[in-house]
């Protein structure tokens, strides 16, 4: 597989304090407010009807990787994803593969909420109405496994005239044993670049550009 080198429009950085990794990323999307909100609507529709479809666009390039440039990082293989509308809960089964080939099966049931959804349903209003206000999508995982204590992400869309601003704010805390071995380098190679890939995927989709794997040299 050939990995293309593309100009990254997004920016992502991570800090570490009291056992918690905090990652903040942002990107500007040159599209209309409606096109930007369509991205959120599409994510919620896929979560409800076909969660696996998200890995074809929103989470494109964040799962199994075959390229040698990424062999140092952990590989995430998504096995099954299911969505339960009330309450808004996902059921996710995945396999984590270490650089040495060791596999670990993981199960998570994240809760999520969209500031424009009421009990999992979009407001019955004309398309574009209400898009002048910021919109947020929140996802939270607690007691994921002995490896990951908690993880959450808030994705916020701030509308503008011709440029829409998208930012993501995540927190991640590993279990005490794993935290002894998770370094800043390992976190970047495992999680941080995936956050950036996610932002680039949303930007490209909103702007009508083809999706491409980002090329980041792992440390």
């Amino acid at each position: 597989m050939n990995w293309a080198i593309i100009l990254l429009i997004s920016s992502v950085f991570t800090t570490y304090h009291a056992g918690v990794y905090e990652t903040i990323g942002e990107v500007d999307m040159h599209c209309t407010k409606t096109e930007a909100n369509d991205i959120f609507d599409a994510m919620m529709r896929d979560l409800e009807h076909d969660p696996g479809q998200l890995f074809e666009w929103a989470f494109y390039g964040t799962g199994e990787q075959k390229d040698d440039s990424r062999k140092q990082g952990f590989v995430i293989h998504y096995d099954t994803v299911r969505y339960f509308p009330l309450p808004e809960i996902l059921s996710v089964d995945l396999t984590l593969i270490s650089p040495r080939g060791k596999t670990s099966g993981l199960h998570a049931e994240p809760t999520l909420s969209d500031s424009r959804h009421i009990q999992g349903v979009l407001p019955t209003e004309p398309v574009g109405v209400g898009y002048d206000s910021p919109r947020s999508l929140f996802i939270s995982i607690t007691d994921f496994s002995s490896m990951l204590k908690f993880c959450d992400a808030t994705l916020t869309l701030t509308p503008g005239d011709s440029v829409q601003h998208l930012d993501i704010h995540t927190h991640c805390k590993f279990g005490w044993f794993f935290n002894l071995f998770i370094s800043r380098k390992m976190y970047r190679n495992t999680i941080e670049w995936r956050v950036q890939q996610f932002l680039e995927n949303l930007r490209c989709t909103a702007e009508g550009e083809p999706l491409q794997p980002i090329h980041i040299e792992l440390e």
Side-chain angles (χ1 to χ4, degrees), residues 9-189:
I9 308 300
S10 57
S11 63
V12 175
F13 70 91
T14 299
T15 59
Y16 178 81
H17 178 70
V20 178
Y21 285 92
E22 180 178 21
T23 299
I24 298 176
E26 59 182 0
V27 67
D28 285 333
M29 303 185 297
H30 295 267
C31 62
T32 66
K33 299 172 186 177
T34 299
E35 289 169 333
N37 274 274
D38 284 347
I39 299 300
F40 275 69
D41 294 346
M43 282 192 287
M44 295 305 292
R45 283 195 301 270
D46 282 350
L47 285 170
E48 182 173 358
H49 301 292
D50 187 10
Q53 181 64 27
L54 286 167
F55 305 115
E56 298 296 323
W57 65 281
F59 298 143
Y60 170 81
T62 65
E64 284 192 280
Q65 308 296 346
K66 304 298 184 182
D67 186 74
D68 287 342
S69 67
R70 296 180 184 236
K71 65 183 179 181
Q72 301 175 70
F74 281 82
V75 169
I76 298 176
H77 178 262
Y78 302 100
D79 298 320
T80 61
V81 184
R82 291 172 293 167
Y83 173 66
F84 302 93
L86 293 176
E88 293 181 270
I89 295 178
L90 288 173
S91 177
V92 182
D93 292 293
L94 50 83
T95 301
L96 186 67
I97 307 173
S98 74
R100 296 183 178 180
K102 183 178 180 180
T103 61
S104 300
L106 301 176
H107 176 80
E109 294 187 356
T111 58
L112 65 151
S113 62
D114 184 335
S115 59
R116 290 195 73 244
H117 282 65
I118 300 175
Q119 294 186 332
V121 179
L122 274 171
T124 54
E125 59 184 27
V127 173
V129 175
Y131 284 175
D132 288 330
S133 301
R135 180 181 183 183
S136 295
L137 175 63
F138 176 74
I139 301 175
S140 176
I141 304 174
T142 57
D143 296 325
F144 187 20
S145 67
S146 59
M147 176 181 291
L148 188 63
K149 199 63 179 175
F150 71 80
C151 182
D152 63 50
T154 302
L155 185 68
T156 303
L157 171 64
T158 304
D161 292 331
S162 59
V163 177
Q164 320 307 318
H165 185 75
L166 191 67
D167 66 72
I168 188 169
H169 197 168
T170 73
H171 300 89
C172 185
K173 184 174 184 178
F174 296 92
W176 71 269
F177 179 77
F178 289 95
N179 195 51
L180 297 175
F181 304 98
I182 299 293
S183 62
R184 173 67 181 81
K185 169 184 173 181
M186 186 177 294
Y187 179 85
R188 179 177 187 270
N189 292 354

